Amino acid sequence: VDMWGFNCGPGALCAVLNMRPAEIRPHMLDFERKHYTNPRMMFEILIRLGVRHMPVDEWPSFGLVRIQWGGPWTGPGCPLRKRYRHTHWIACSQKAGEERWVFDVNATCVGGWVTYSTWSGQIVPWLLKECEPSADGTFWPTHCIQVYGNNEPASA
């Protein structure tokens, strides 16, 4: 996995599709050259895998979320392309009336899936300190993708 630069994009895909890294690798387009998964690539990968999905305006009940870390790169006048270098893919799952769960590739030591409150209160601060030291501590979703299982209607 380390040999091909496996990170948050492929990790979130593995979690939401219940696939192993070796299974997802052939479908990752030019990820191994770029070492990132932008939204266009993520949608193309889902299409190529035949996964039913739909972009949504808010956190999906089950799917993928691209997080934007706030910092100097999100300030007024800063080119949008600079923001892309400070993003992070996660998977999420939430049943009605229950707390949201988040899969973060950085939490694999505890199984990857943690509650949103654990993720936002413990993992995000650690991740920002380690990987985004200029971040201001804020974050928000930029792309939310509902992923449908075999029995879920695409219009849910």
Side-chain angles (χ1 to χ4, degrees), residues 57-80:
D57 293 331
E58 56 188 28
W59 286 78
S61 58
F62 183 74
L64 298 160
V65 178
R66 182 175 163 270
I67 298 293
Q68 175 70 64
W69 304 126
W73 49 83
T74 56
C78 195
L80 285 177

Side-chain angles (χ1 to χ4, degrees), residues 69 88 102 104 106-107 110 112 114-115 117-129:
W69 304 126
H88 185 60
V102 169
D104 191 310
N106 298 291
V110 292
V114 295
T115 62
S117 58
T118 297
W119 179 76
S120 61
Q122 295 178 26
I123 294 172
V124 168
W126 172 83
L127 189 57
L128 292 178
K129 181 181 173 198

Side-chain angles (χ1 to χ4, degrees), residues 29-67:
L29 304 172
D30 57 352
F31 170 82
E32 288 186 61
R33 182 177 62 81
K34 294 182 174 184
H35 296 287
Y36 64 79
T37 309
N38 65 32
R40 182 176 292 145
M41 288 171 65
M42 188 65 82
F43 283 110
E44 181 64 27
I45 292 163
L46 290 168
I47 289 166
R48 288 178 180 216
L49 285 168
V51 174
R52 292 182 346 158
H53 66 282
M54 181 173 64
V56 292
D57 293 331
E58 56 188 28
W59 286 78
S61 58
F62 183 74
L64 298 160
V65 178
R66 182 175 163 270
I67 298 293

